[in-house]
Amino acid sequence: MEKAVTIALAGNPNSGKTTLFNELTGSYQHVGNWPGVTVEKKEGKLKGRRKDVVIMDLPGIYSLSPYTLEEVITRNYLLDEHPDVIINIIDSTNLERNLYLTLQLLETGIPVVMALNMTDLLKKRGEKINTEKLSENFGCPVVEISAAHSTGLDELIDTALAAVGADTRPQVKSYFSADIMRSIKDIEDMVSGRVADASLRFYAIKLFERDEKINVNLSAAEQGTIDNLVSACEEKYDDDTESLITGERYDFITDAMKTAYTKRNKAKLTMSDKIDRVVTNKWAALPIFFGIMYVVYYVSITTVGDWTIGYVEQFFGWIQESAAAGLAASGAAEWAQSLVVDGIIGGLGSIFVFVPQLMILFLFLSLLEDSGYMARVAFIMDRIFRKFGLSGKSFIPMLIGTGCSVPGIMASRTIENEKDRRMTIMLTPFIPCGAKLPVFAMFIAIFFSHQAWVGPSMYLIGILMVILSGIILKRTKSFKGEPAPFVMELPEYRAPRAKHVLMHMWEKGRSFIIRAGTIIFVACTAIWFFQSFSPSMIYVGDDIDQSMLAMFGNAIKWIFVPLGFGETWAAPVAAVTGLVAKEVVVATFATIGSVTTIMFSQVTAYAFMVFTLLAAPCFAAIGAMKREFGNWKWTLYAILYQTGVAYVLAMLVNLIGSAIFANSPATTQTALGAGILEDVSEGDVVNGDVVLIVFGIILVAAVIIILVNKANQRKKYGSLKGTEV
Ligand code: GDP
Ligand code: MG
């Protein structure tokens, strides 16, 4: 009877661990949780030959740093339980990235066997890995397998069992520069005897990296010696030791890759790869993204949308007339007629006018999502965000936030680092959500009917503000720190499936209509009430300036004077009612506009859009922020920050825009309102070059970002290299 053996499976997420585990254990598995935490723990017996071999499926991880729960669990398990052998399962189509973990596993001193998985895919792509060279470079056995096709598994198990008890100390090759290695050796000598001999290298490197979760009972003097070693290196290389180690590891891997890996045949590039070469290209990626958004907006809002507005308007106009006639005939009171005709039908109509174009917009967004393009956008943004010290993971909540900030804010839960998470919650509302679209659509229809750039410019400004905020906030104490590395997978492109696309579109459209029927309905009624009655509850009718709403507006309008829309009380009121739900901004203009005219120039209209884009989100999103922050202090801080940014930027738009366009058509006042949009005809719209303002702001912002970033010494982030396509 041989001694019982424990084999641990370790590897990156999606490398095929679970597939391999199931293949090896058959149905003999035990699923539980790691003590104290709810990360799945799977344990099973090797099926077939030897019943005394236990297989442990460890959580998927990219490194053994202490940033995520999974990483901590895995390294605690390896160091405390010391399994007999580690099978390091590797997605061989992402070899470089996977090897980063391999190096760290080797340092634990536990025998490692590399299992190169997905070799079937590798062959299909015409790529080759030289296993002998790889084995030589890393000093451990390498076996090619395919977990999904059950090939190479017997050889893998034989190799793993043969590696049990192997002397592993010499296999950890030194790949660090001489002086770094000397420091690590010094630390090794110091802690020798206090940790398992085999894991000495692991502990020494972690102490060198100032890993706070490592505890080996150092005396104050010893800690001081280590601090000196670390500081000396950091000074010499002008970088922190963790980044230094990461850099040296990647240098080693890059060297190893040169001999061990044969690049794919040029002719064998898949279609997806070819598209990605262009679409995720360093320079072309962003222009392509905005080009696509331009076309999407041009078609859905500017062209087709413009055409559908007329029909929906006619339809609601007809309902309004019929209702007015019916109510008048039945002898209803004047206020009741006003409530139904202007308040409810007018308010809802003002929003429903945009349903056809939003449906088209949603259709396009669903197409982009289903084809796989949105994943590329996340990838591109991840790359950019990381350059500015933001976690790449922040982009996923923001991507979800393009639909609605509430689930976006909730999606920030996947971010383990508390500081990154807080920042993401704060910045996600900067991204235009679905409810802000009707506001943009209304302003574009009235003031910018031939400038399809205005729509996408809102996304650009949102993203720029996220990046700028990231740079600024990262310098404050509350947000300092390195972003956790994050690697994402790019799915293959595929033809969008009609069913999925229509379903997505319908889901988005439906929630929009439901909101219109509920919260917005109530808001319209409330707005009607406040604009129709004086503070002493006397019905004011068309004498709207006597209403409570006017009083409220007049009391706060001075705040908005610097932004260009504080001259009259209507726009300030609309800016505030957006707190209920952003669509209510549109309804507010429509109901107020039915009795009075509201003046905007293109410049102030743009300032208003910018303010709506960035200011405190709606109550639902504020509630979500409160839930995720867990306290009011941070929630208030976030609201103040968002509104502050909105205020400053809208003011800049107004000041700069008015200066540039003084005496030009852009500052000509155009009336908004009177009915739904019925008074707006092509002839009324004066097209000043607001596009110029947009570009001006973007350019200034971009220059600031680049300057700040240059000053900000560029750091190497662990997984960045591995994600490059
Ligand atoms: P885990 O996250 O490491 O547990 O990975 P999974 O076992 O869930 O596998 C991720 C994906 O890779 C699944 O869709 C598997 O079907 C697929 N997969 C696993 N092994 C192979 C393989 O050898 N070849 C191919 N083509 N696909 C594989
Ligand atoms: Mg799994």
Side-chain angles (χ1 to χ4, degrees):
M1 179 81 189
E2 287 159 280
K3 188 178 145 286
V5 170
T6 305
I7 301 179
L9 298 186
N12 287 186
N14 278 320
S15 54
K17 265 182 308 93
T18 304
T19 313
L20 178 65
F21 180 84
N22 290 341
E23 278 301 315
L24 294 179
T25 58
S27 54
Y28 303 111
Q29 59 165 290
H30 168 80
V31 179
N33 282 327
W34 295 91
V37 289
T38 51
V39 174
E40 204 170 78
K41 173 183 192 172
K42 270 192 270 169
E43 204 181 312
K45 290 207 169 94
L46 180 66
K47 76 175 172 190
R49 305 178 292 174
R50 281 182 57 176
K51 290 272 182 253
D52 59 340
V53 176
V54 174
I55 315 266
M56 278 294 293
D57 188 13
L58 296 174
I61 47 168
Y62 296 110
S63 87
L64 287 184
S65 39
Y67 297 123
T68 70
L69 191 57
E70 286 85 354
E71 286 165 353
V72 173
I73 289 174
T74 302
R75 76 182 208 184
N76 286 350
Y77 172 80
L78 294 177
L79 296 174
D80 300 344
E81 309 291 322
H82 222 274
D84 297 293
V85 55
I86 300 172
I87 290 183
N88 173 209
I89 180 156
I90 286 173
D91 171 0
S92 37
T93 62
N94 277 306
L95 185 60
E96 191 169 3
R97 186 191 76 204
N98 280 249
L99 288 174
Y100 186 69
L101 176 66
T102 310
L103 281 181
Q104 291 171 280
L105 292 175
L106 287 166
E107 281 152 12
T108 63
I110 300 164
V112 173
V113 175
M114 274 198 235
L116 296 181
N117 192 27
M118 316 250 183
T119 45
D120 53 315
L121 287 182
L122 202 68
K123 282 198 189 95
K124 248 194 220 159
R125 290 196 190 178
E127 296 172 344
K128 249 203 196 102
I129 293 174
N130 184 334
T131 49
E132 277 111 63
K133 276 272 186 282
L134 198 62
S135 168
E136 203 177 288
N137 276 325
F138 283 76
C140 70
V142 178
V143 182
E144 286 184 287
I145 65 163
S146 168
H149 296 93
S150 273
T151 55
L153 302 189
D154 280 336
E155 190 193 342
L156 178 64
I157 291 300
D158 289 341
T159 314
L161 292 176
V164 172
D167 178 15
T168 53
R169 284 302 315 269
Q171 82 175 352
V172 184
K173 267 200 191 174
S174 160
Y175 46 87
F176 297 115
S177 337
D179 48 351
I180 293 182
M181 198 56 227
R182 220 171 304 123
S183 304
I184 293 175
K185 276 256 164 63
D186 284 349
I187 301 176
E188 277 183 8
D189 291 342
M190 183 185 299
V191 297
S192 168
R194 262 177 270 186
V195 298
D197 253 4
S199 311
L200 205 48
R201 177 65 47 90
F202 177 86
Y203 281 101
I205 292 174
K206 286 294 157 194
L207 287 169
F208 185 65
E209 289 179 334
R210 301 185 199 264
D211 183 329
E212 281 159 10
K213 290 215 172 77
I214 291 293
N215 182 7
V216 291
N217 297 322
L218 292 173
S219 69
E222 287 168 330
Q223 186 61 53
T225 314
I226 292 180
D227 285 345
N228 287 340
L229 285 171
V230 171
S231 306
C233 266
E234 291 186 334
E235 218 154 277
K236 175 165 178 202
Y237 292 96
D238 194 19
D239 208 345
D240 60 285
T241 44
E242 195 179 352
S243 302
L244 283 175
I245 298 273
T246 304
E248 301 240 313
R249 285 199 173 120
Y250 267 118
D251 290 345
F252 173 77
I253 292 171
T254 310
D255 274 351
M257 291 285 286
K258 278 185 199 137
T259 51
Y261 171 72
T262 319
K263 266 235 172 83
R264 74 186 71 166
N265 229 311
K266 281 249 158 66
K268 288 253 178 158
L269 274 182
T270 65
M271 199 58 196
S272 270
D273 294 332
K274 280 183 206 156
I275 299 173
D276 276 340
R277 280 215 159 167
V278 181
V279 165
T280 64
N281 174 284
K282 210 156 101 190
W283 302 108
L286 269 190
I288 289 175
F289 172 58
F290 286 104
I292 289 175
M293 291 311 278
Y294 177 86
V295 172
V296 166
Y297 264 78
Y298 182 76
V299 175
S300 53
I301 304 285
T302 318
T303 317
V304 185
D306 219 29
W307 172 71
T308 56
I309 282 183
Y311 289 102
V312 187
E313 249 172 31
Q314 272 180 10
F315 176 68
F316 272 91
W318 173 78
I319 296 183
Q320 259 179 328
E321 272 167 35
S322 322
L327 286 168
S330 69
E334 197 194 336
W335 67 264
Q337 292 186 33
S338 166
L339 167 63
V340 174
V341 175
D342 299 329
I344 296 174
I345 304 178
L348 287 183
S350 66
I351 290 164
F352 273 101
V353 154
F354 301 107
V355 167
Q357 45 182 313
L358 290 183
M359 288 302 247
I360 299 166
L361 186 63
F362 292 152
L363 174 70
F364 276 114
L365 295 181
S366 305
L367 276 173
L368 291 177
E369 214 169 290
D370 207 51
S371 65
Y373 180 70
M374 276 307 180
R376 270 71 189 179
V377 175
F379 172 79
I380 296 162
M381 292 302 164
D382 167 46
R383 198 167 54 190
I384 296 171
F385 275 21
R386 204 108 47 89
K387 284 212 175 97
F388 295 106
L390 281 164
S391 165
K393 275 192 174 180
S394 301
F395 190 69
I396 300 297
M398 291 179 191
L399 194 66
I400 296 171
T402 56
C404 174
S405 300
V406 173
I409 289 166
M410 276 156 55
S412 65
R413 280 183 202 173
T414 55
I415 301 171
E416 298 83 5
N417 182 309
E418 191 55 31
K419 291 175 176 175
D420 286 348
R421 203 172 76 87
R422 259 196 233 126
M423 183 137 83
T424 308
I425 297 170
M426 250 172 88
L427 302 185
T428 296
F430 280 168
I431 303 295
C433 70
K436 289 172 186 165
L437 298 184
V439 183
F440 302 153
M442 178 184 74
F443 276 88
I444 292 169
I446 298 177
F447 301 103
F448 304 100
S449 69
H450 296 293
Q451 293 160 351
W453 262 113
V454 173
S457 77
M458 288 292 125
Y459 288 86
L460 196 51
I461 290 180
I463 293 170
L464 280 176
M465 284 308 117
V466 168
I467 292 175
L468 272 180
S469 302
I471 292 175
I472 296 165
L473 294 177
K474 272 278 166 191
R475 307 190 147 221
T476 66
K477 220 173 102 199
S478 313
F479 293 103
K480 236 190 177 81
E482 300 258 317
F486 163 58
V487 184
M488 57 181 299
E489 310 283 329
L490 291 184
E492 300 262 308
Y493 285 101
R494 61 160 175 245
R497 293 147 302 177
K499 205 178 123 196
H500 280 236
V501 170
L502 291 176
M503 232 168 62
H504 278 153
M505 177 181 96
W506 171 239
E507 270 164 21
K508 288 182 186 134
R510 196 180 67 136
S511 72
F512 183 79
I513 293 168
I514 289 177
R515 281 162 64 80
T518 52
I519 181 164
I520 296 166
F521 174 83
V522 173
C524 286
T525 313
I527 290 166
W528 171 86
F529 172 76
F530 290 116
Q531 83 163 40
S532 300
F533 288 90
S534 72
S536 45
M537 293 308 281
I538 295 164
Y539 178 64
V540 297
D542 282 357
D543 203 3
I544 190 171
D545 287 336
Q546 304 302 317
S547 67
M548 286 186 265
L549 204 60
M551 286 198 51
F552 172 68
N554 280 320
I556 60 161
K557 70 181 184 189
W558 59 272
I559 299 172
F560 297 93
V561 170
L563 314 192
F565 49 85
E567 301 301 330
T568 56
W569 58 267
V573 165
V576 174
T577 53
L579 280 174
V580 176
K582 294 291 163 184
E583 298 97 328
V584 175
V585 172
V586 175
T588 308
F589 278 127
T591 36
I592 298 177
S594 66
V595 280
T596 182
T597 48
I598 304 154
M599 306 300 276
F600 273 106
S601 69
Q602 287 194 324
V603 171
T604 56
Y606 198 72
F608 188 90
M609 289 170 75
V610 167
F611 185 81
T612 307
L613 167 73
L614 302 171
C618 65
F619 286 139
I622 291 176
M625 290 201 298
K626 157 80 175 48
R627 274 197 304 281
E628 296 306 316
F629 280 133
N631 61 49
W632 276 113
K633 189 188 122 212
W634 274 102
T635 314
L636 288 177
Y637 180 43
I639 292 172
L640 280 179
Y641 179 77
Q642 290 154 353
T643 312
V645 169
Y647 193 87
V648 170
L649 202 67
M651 186 166 71
L652 284 178
V653 169
N654 179 42
L655 295 182
I656 297 172
S658 307
I660 299 175
F661 295 110
N663 307 322
S664 90
T667 53
T668 307
Q669 302 274 307
T670 306
L672 168 102
I676 298 167
L677 299 170
E678 59 195 0
D679 271 6
V680 178
S681 64
E682 291 288 299
D684 292 342
V685 180
V686 198
N687 284 300
D689 270 330
V690 168
V691 175
L692 264 182
I693 313 180
V694 178
F695 277 124
I697 294 166
I698 291 161
L699 232 97
V700 170
V703 168
I704 296 173
I705 291 172
I706 291 164
L707 288 180
V708 172
N709 191 43
K710 271 228 167 124
N712 217 357
Q713 226 212 21
R714 261 190 56 188
K715 304 243 156 141
K716 274 184 192 169
Y717 294 118
S719 48
L720 190 60
K721 286 187 188 170
T723 59
E724 222 86 67
V725 174

